């Protein structure tokens, strides 16, 4: 019996055999030909890799999975990515080694970006590059075949590891290196299966073929449990299953603290899919959908009409609840391998303006609000508002109906915006979002090799800036929502209630957990404003 401790990515408890995703050894017995032949081999491998990705995308079980595969295909077509590999091959390197080098360069750039959503896309670079290298090395790319329900284990999960599996056969996920914001973690929470990450090097391999107790409630993995441990785990599983079948009483309970102070908890979504919206509302998002990410529309290259249709579908799924859509921002992806492609699209198709026009047109179909990310002070805000006004003038000239009063808010992610929040409100921000995780990391400007361990979001300096924003907003009767709340820092949110925060946006799996902690508060002595 061996016990390992990790980080909980998705709660729950299960018992079962471990099946490991083994990618084997890389780079053995390679023979390097002349540059012309190596380039030809690389070009052929790219064609085959894209064909495989297209087939996976065709059979993807989830629209988000299809978007990830589309991104991988776009990466393999990216000019800067291709040139990097071509230059190294021309210098005499083998094609497989050139792809591995490009993988390290481009994945490294993404992993150093201060945005958790974008940061996790580094694994997509590794996934796509590993597929090309496997083709060049002649290794099998057949997915793992599960003949019985199993707990999947990996050093690091690649998105394509999970796309083609029968998800009814997956009991849980364990990983040596994945994080709570990785695709594997998000998928586990969506499936409702337990998952542990950050178990440490070699744990997945040592657990392969063994029976384990995966206890994400206690963040532990017990390999070869004793009969007593197995029996105890089965009893707790039965209790958890019984509770799961009963409606969570917190979902319909009013959002009021012990002293009667009201608060709002908003859900989030990575796409406009109705299932994501319903999951948030069913889990107690009493204020609606607080953050819908739209990055996938860049990769899908949706035109204005398609975007209008997507936003209207989103609003219809929300059934009258408010929905906040976050604009995408190519500038925030600086250094990412697709940035050149995105900037080219923006120049050719007025990407940013297209989204603004589509949102203005969709605004009349429901309760829609728009939040603008990565605003660096009042000047950046003014430039964004100028673009919105220009879009409105265009739509008026074209005789196209739109929402003249579409609410637009500012995302406070960098200290400059927090310090100039009074001016930003005076210049037209209808509401504010404070991204705690990004704000903390921009404040401390962590060295690249330390970014894996995120700064706490409730340090004195972060709280001081948040307090200033809350005070400025309260003086001008402007709504503020806290978002970017790491899963392992939900316990810091009661402290922000004492500062005056009354609205929170969290991942759907955390809705009831956050609500439970806020219901216990007594703010009768708290000096902040009421909701």
């Amino acid at each position: 019996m061996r016990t390992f401790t990790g980080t909980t990515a998705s709660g729950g408890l299960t018992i079962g055999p471990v099946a490991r995703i083994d990618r084997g050894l890389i780079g053995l017995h390679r023979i390097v030909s002349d540059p012309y032949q190596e380039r030809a081999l690389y070009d052929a491998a790219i064609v085959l890799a894209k064909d495989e990705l297209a087939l996976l995308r065709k059979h993807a079980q989830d629209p988000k999975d299809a978007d990830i595969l589309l991104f991988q295909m776009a990466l393999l077509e990216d000019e800067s990515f291709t040139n990097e590999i071509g230059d190294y091959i021309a210098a005499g390197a083998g094609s497989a080694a050139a792809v591995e080098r490009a993988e390290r360069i481009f994945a490294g750039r993404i992993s150093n970006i201060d945005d958790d959503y974008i940061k996790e896309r580094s694994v997509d670079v590794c996934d796509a590059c590993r597929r090309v290298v496997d083709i060049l090395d002649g290794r099998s790319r057949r997915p793992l075949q599960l003949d019985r329900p199993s707990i999947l284990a990996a050093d690091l999960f690649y998105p394509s590891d999970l796309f083609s599996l029968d998800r009814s056969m997956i009991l849980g996920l364990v990983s040596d290196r994945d994080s709570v914001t990785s695709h594997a973690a998000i998928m586990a929470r969506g499936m409702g299966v337990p998952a542990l990450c950050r178990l440490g090097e070699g744990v997945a391999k040592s657990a392969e073929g063994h029976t384990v107790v995966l206890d994400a409630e206690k963040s532990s993995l017990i390999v070869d449990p004793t009969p007593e441990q197995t029996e105890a785990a089965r009893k707790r599983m039965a209790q958890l299953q019984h509770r799961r079948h009963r409606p969570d009483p917190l979902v319909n309970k009013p959002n009021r603290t012990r002293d009667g102070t009201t608060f709002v908890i908003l859900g989030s979504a990575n796409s406009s899919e109705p299932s994501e919206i319903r999951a948030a509302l069913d889990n107690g998002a009493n204020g609606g959908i607080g953050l819908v990410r739209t990055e996938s529309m860049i990769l899908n290259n949706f035109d204005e009409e398609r975007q209008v249709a997507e936003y209207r579908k989103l609003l219809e799924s929300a059934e009258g609840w408010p929905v906040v859509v976050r604009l995408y921002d190519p500038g925030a992806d600086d250094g990412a391998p697709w940035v050149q492609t995105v900037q080219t699209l923006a120049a050719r198709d007025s990407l940013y303006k297209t989204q603004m026009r589509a949102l203005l047109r969709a605004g009349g179909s429901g309760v829609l609000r728009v939040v603008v990310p990565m605003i660096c002070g009042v000047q950046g805000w003014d430039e964004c508002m100028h673009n919105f006004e220009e879009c409105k003038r265009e739509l008026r000239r074209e005789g196209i109906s739109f929402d003249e009063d579409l609410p637009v808010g500012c995302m406070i992610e960098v200290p400059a915006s927090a310090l100039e929040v009074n001016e930003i409100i005076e210049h037209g921000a209808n509401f504010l979002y404070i991204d705690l995780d990004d704000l903390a990391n921009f404040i401390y400007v962590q060295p690249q090799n330390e970014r894996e361990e995120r700064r706490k979001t409730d340090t004195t300096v972060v709280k001081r800036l948040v307090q200033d924003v809350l005070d400025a907003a309260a003086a001008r009767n402007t709504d503020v929502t806290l978002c970017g709340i790491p899963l392992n820092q939900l316990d810091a949110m009661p402290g922000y209630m004492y500062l005056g925060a009354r609205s929170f946006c969290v991942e759907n799996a955390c809705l009831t957990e956050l609500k439970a902690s806020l219901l216990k508060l007594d703010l009768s002595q708290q000096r902040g404003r009421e909701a």
Side-chain angles (χ1 to χ4, degrees):
M1 187 271 291
R2 293 164 293 162
T3 301
F4 301 95
T5 301
T7 299
T8 297
S10 177
L13 173 66
T14 191
I15 304 170
V18 173
R20 183 171 71 100
I21 295 174
D22 182 10
R23 299 187 180 90
L25 297 175
I26 296 171
L28 295 179
H29 311 301
R30 285 176 180 162
I31 298 175
V32 178
S33 303
D34 64 81
Y36 294 103
Q37 186 172 352
E38 289 294 333
R39 181 56 191 253
L41 290 170
Y42 168 74
D43 291 339
I46 289 292
V47 171
L48 182 54
K50 287 169 59 180
D51 286 346
E52 291 179 356
L53 290 169
L55 184 61
L56 279 173
R57 185 168 183 262
K58 180 180 178 180
H59 297 289
Q61 302 175 35
D62 188 305
K64 295 189 295 296
D65 296 346
D67 288 346
I68 289 173
L69 293 165
L70 185 64
F71 161 73
Q72 294 188 19
M73 294 169 67
L75 169 69
L76 298 182
E77 296 174 346
D78 186 86
E79 184 178 353
S80 60
F81 177 79
T82 302
N83 289 342
E84 185 73 43
I85 293 170
D87 291 345
Y88 201 53
I89 291 174
S95 52
V99 176
E100 289 171 345
R101 177 177 177 271
E103 174 188 341
R104 291 191 296 272
I105 292 172
F106 285 91
R109 290 176 184 173
I110 300 178
S111 64
N112 290 325
I113 294 174
D114 285 308
D115 182 299
D116 282 341
Y117 177 80
I118 297 171
K119 187 186 185 84
E120 287 299 336
R121 300 308 287 260
S122 64
V123 76
D124 293 299
V125 176
C126 299
D127 196 0
C129 290
R130 193 54 42 204
R131 181 176 298 276
V132 177
V133 170
D134 285 347
I135 292 170
L136 291 168
D137 283 344
R139 284 203 309 276
S140 171
R141 297 172 303 287
R142 291 187 61 189
L144 178 69
Q145 300 296 317
L146 295 178
D147 56 5
R148 56 178 175 169
S150 302
I151 296 168
L152 289 185
D155 169 50
L156 180 72
F157 283 106
Y158 291 167
S160 62
D161 291 335
L162 306 170
F163 290 159
S164 56
L165 290 172
D166 180 355
R167 296 187 181 181
S168 66
M169 301 285 277
I170 301 175
L171 297 175
L173 301 176
V174 294
S175 167
D176 294 352
R177 295 194 289 136
D178 274 292
S179 74
V180 295
T181 55
S182 67
H183 178 77
I186 293 170
M187 192 189 98
R189 292 192 288 271
M191 294 168 58
V193 300
L196 287 179
C197 59
R198 309 281 186 198
L199 282 164
E201 185 177 355
V203 174
K205 186 175 182 179
S206 68
E208 182 179 13
H210 294 262
T211 296
V212 303
V213 172
L214 168 53
D215 189 349
E217 302 298 312
K218 297 182 179 180
S219 302
S220 69
L221 181 73
I222 304 175
V223 180
D224 296 327
T226 65
E228 293 77 16
Q229 289 172 321
T230 301
E231 181 60 25
R234 292 195 188 283
K235 288 182 179 179
R236 287 182 54 219
M237 285 174 62
Q239 294 170 352
L240 290 171
Q241 189 72 14
H242 179 65
R243 287 205 299 265
R244 195 173 292 126
H245 285 160
R246 291 184 301 175
D248 192 326
L250 287 181
V251 170
N252 296 316
K253 193 171 183 178
N255 282 19
R256 287 196 296 268
T257 61
R258 288 168 54 198
D259 62 296
T261 302
T262 60
F263 57 88
V264 174
I265 299 182
L266 304 159
S268 63
N270 290 307
S271 71
S272 59
E273 285 305 304
S275 59
E276 287 215 35
I277 308 305
R278 289 310 321 167
L281 299 177
D282 292 344
N283 286 335
N286 73 310
I289 310 303
L291 190 65
V292 179
R293 298 179 178 88
T294 56
E295 283 79 6
S296 64
M297 293 191 185
I298 300 177
L299 302 178
N300 284 301
N301 195 21
F302 286 168
D303 62 15
E304 183 176 323
E305 296 301 324
R306 177 64 185 277
Q307 288 194 41
V308 172
E310 288 292 316
Y311 297 133
R312 285 175 176 164
K313 180 176 75 171
L314 179 69
L315 292 168
E316 181 181 352
S317 302
E319 299 179 353
W321 288 97
V323 174
V324 179
V325 170
R326 186 181 72 179
L327 291 184
Y328 45 66
D329 181 11
D333 294 350
D334 187 29
W338 65 85
V339 70
Q340 183 173 352
T341 301
V342 169
Q343 290 173 344
T344 301
L345 286 170
R348 188 181 70 226
D349 298 326
S350 301
L351 184 70
Y352 207 47
K353 185 183 293 185
T354 297
Q355 186 180 32
M356 289 181 174
R357 285 173 55 102
L359 287 163
L360 286 165
R361 290 175 58 189
S365 302
V367 187
L368 179 64
R369 308 173 89 190
V370 177
V371 65
V372 185
M374 294 306 296
I375 292 296
C376 295
V378 69
Q379 181 178 348
W381 174 257
D382 287 344
E383 290 173 357
C384 182
M385 291 305 97
H386 173 77
N387 291 335
F388 261 109
E389 290 303 318
E390 184 178 330
C391 289
K392 290 181 179 181
R393 288 191 293 270
E394 288 180 359
L395 291 169
R396 291 189 196 104
R397 287 196 300 267
E398 297 168 17
I400 299 175
S401 62
F402 66 94
D403 185 355
E404 288 274 5
D405 301 314
L406 180 69
V408 181
C410 180
M411 185 83 79
I412 306 297
E413 298 166 277
V414 298
S417 294
L419 294 171
E420 295 186 339
V421 68
N422 289 297
E423 292 82 356
I424 289 173
I425 296 174
E426 289 171 359
H427 286 220
N430 299 118
F431 61 94
L432 303 173
Y433 266 48
I434 304 176
D435 189 315
L436 293 175
D437 193 38
D438 279 352
L439 184 61
N441 284 282
F442 277 118
I443 287 172
Y444 290 101
V445 193
Q446 296 179 92
Q448 292 182 359
N449 62 347
E450 293 180 7
R451 284 183 178 152
E452 197 62 35
E453 295 300 326
R454 311 293 285 180
R455 285 279 187 179
K456 292 290 187 182
T457 58
D458 62 344
T459 61
T460 300
V461 177
V462 176
K463 293 177 78 170
R464 187 181 302 162
L465 271 182
V466 172
Q467 180 72 80
D468 290 346
V469 174
L470 291 170
D471 289 346
R476 291 162 178 77
N477 199 29
T478 302
D479 291 335
V480 181
T481 294
L482 303 190
C483 67
I485 303 170
L487 301 181
N488 61 352
Q489 295 179 37
L490 290 174
D491 57 356
M493 295 309 104
Y496 282 109
M497 282 283 285
Y498 284 105
L499 295 183
R502 296 293 181 267
S503 179
F504 304 84
C505 178
V506 294
E507 195 171 320
N508 296 341
C510 304
L511 289 165
T512 53
E513 181 179 348
L514 176 60
K515 183 173 182 176
S517 67
L518 300 184
L519 289 174
K520 300 173 184 176
L521 299 179
D522 184 343
L523 304 179
S524 55
Q525 303 300 317
Q526 185 259 343
R527 68 176 181 82
R529 69 185 178 97
E530 292 301 314

